[in-house]
Every structure is written in C-alpha cells, then in structure tokens.
Amino acid sequence: MANLSLVRDGEECLDVAFESADHTVVALTRVEFEDCVFDGLRLEQTRFADCTFVDCVFRECDFGVLVVDDCTWRDVRFERCRMQGVDWRAPKAGGLGNQLRFRECFMRYGVFMQAHLPRVEFRNCDLREAEFSDADLAGAAFAESELSGARFQNARLLEADVRGAEGYDVDVTSGLLKGARFSMPEAARLLNGLDIVIE
C-alpha cells in the first residue's frame, strides 16, 4: 500500500495502489498517475494542479472539497465516490478528458460548466444541482441518475442517452439535442419549457 502524501511534485506513478489512508491535506503539482488505484481515500482539502490521470480507478473515495486545477483525466473510473461541489471545468490546454465513468457517485453541486466531456458516463449518480451549462456532453450517458435542479443551459447533448434518469429539465428548443434518447414517463418533462398546456 502506497502513501499518497509521500508523492512529490513532478513524479510519475505507474501501477501504484493507494489504499485506505487519511490524506486530508495533500497538494500535488504536475504528477502523472497511470494505471493507479485509489481505494477508500479521504481526499478532503486535497489539491491536484496540472496532474494527469490515465487508466486510473477511484473506489469509495471521499473527495470533500477537492480542488482540481488544469488536470487531465483519460480513461478514469470513479466508483461509489463522494465528490460534492467539485469543480471539473476544462483545463486551459483543452478538454477535461475522455472516457470518464462515474458509477454510483454522490456528485451534488458539481461544476462541469464549459467542460468537454465526450461520451462521459454517469450511472446511478446523484447529480442534483450540478452545473452543465455550455458543456459538450455529446454521447454522454446519464442512466438511472438523479438530475433534479441540474442546469443544462446551452449544453451540447447530441446523441446523449438520458434514459432512466430522473428530474432533468432540458431546453428542447436549443437544437442541441439531435439524436438524444429519453424514456417515458420522465421524457414528458421535456415539454416544461414550451409554454403549452397538456390536459
């Protein structure tokens, strides 16, 4: 078992397992994590700046008020993690990452505004009050996720799969929904912004 607090700025971590330790205050810059597993960590008040995560897995981690500045995430999976209010906006260099998968995660108040997240997967996640405005969510999947209060203003949801999700309100007049899939009865919510009466 490796200790995340012993990792130094600029280091490369390849195929390392970080497990069940209390890392409430860790600040790392320009660290590259590849094929790493983060299991049961408390990452409260942790800051990752300009770090890269490739083919990594986070399981049952508590991200608390994690700060991620200009980090890149590729083929990263989050399982049963708590990450309330984390700001996932895109780094300066371009997109946030690709093939991100969130499963059974508590993600209320998350900020994905303007993020480039092609094919991101949210499965059975609590995304209440999340901010997706101006995000590119083409091909995204929101299966069985709770989206009450989530904001999708000008979000690009082309070919997104929202079947099984609940509580969403999406502007169907935006023209950014081509090919998106919805399921009944929740799809009736798409009519909310049309100023019509259904009896």
Side-chain angles (χ1 to χ4, degrees):
M1 176 175 78
N3 191 327
L4 188 61
S5 63
L6 298 179
V7 175
R8 295 294 170 250
D9 290 347
E11 219 176 301
E12 292 183 12
C13 297
L14 179 62
D15 197 21
V16 179
F18 300 97
E19 300 176 352
S20 301
D22 187 4
H23 302 294
T24 55
V25 182
V26 176
L28 296 173
T29 303
R30 293 182 310 281
V31 177
E32 294 184 22
F33 297 95
E34 187 170 347
D35 291 312
C36 292
V37 175
F38 302 81
D39 203 345
L41 299 181
R42 291 184 61 198
L43 298 169
E44 299 165 352
Q45 300 178 37
T46 294
R47 181 184 183 113
F48 292 122
D50 199 21
C51 293
T52 301
F53 299 84
V54 179
D55 292 318
C56 293
V57 178
F58 290 83
R59 290 192 193 103
E60 298 182 0
C61 292
D62 188 343
F63 286 78
V65 288
L66 173 72
V67 177
V68 287
D69 290 333
D70 289 330
C71 290
T72 301
W73 311 78
R74 291 192 182 94
D75 298 304
V76 179
R77 192 169 72 241
F78 299 86
E79 300 174 350
R80 298 176 303 281
C81 291
R82 181 179 177 85
M83 46 184 71
Q84 180 169 308
V86 174
D87 189 338
W88 298 94
R89 277 183 273 200
K92 289 179 267 189
L96 180 63
N98 58 43
Q99 297 300 317
L100 294 181
R101 295 179 300 280
F102 299 90
R103 296 178 181 165
E104 298 180 53
C105 292
F106 184 87
M107 306 178 73
R108 287 188 193 180
Y109 310 107
V111 179
F112 298 89
M113 192 167 31
Q114 300 177 344
H116 179 68
L117 287 166
R119 298 176 306 282
V120 64
E121 178 185 306
F122 298 99
R123 183 174 297 279
N124 198 21
C125 291
D126 186 341
L127 287 158
R128 283 178 270 191
E129 304 293 334
E131 178 61 79
F132 292 102
S133 294
D134 299 306
D136 183 352
L137 299 164
F142 292 90
E144 312 304 323
S145 292
E146 174 56 60
L147 293 163
S148 297
R151 288 166 295 285
F152 290 91
Q153 185 176 359
N154 297 318
R156 188 170 182 256
L157 288 160
L158 304 177
E159 298 184 7
D161 189 347
V162 193
R163 293 176 297 179
E166 297 180 350
Y168 53 83
D169 281 310
V170 179
D171 181 6
V172 295
T173 65
S174 69
L176 300 173
L177 294 174
K178 186 175 182 179
R181 292 175 285 178
F182 299 88
S183 58
M184 293 299 286
E186 200 68 15
R189 299 178 66 87
L190 296 172
L191 302 176
N192 288 347
L194 296 180
D195 196 25
I196 61 175
V197 177
I198 298 175
E199 296 180 348

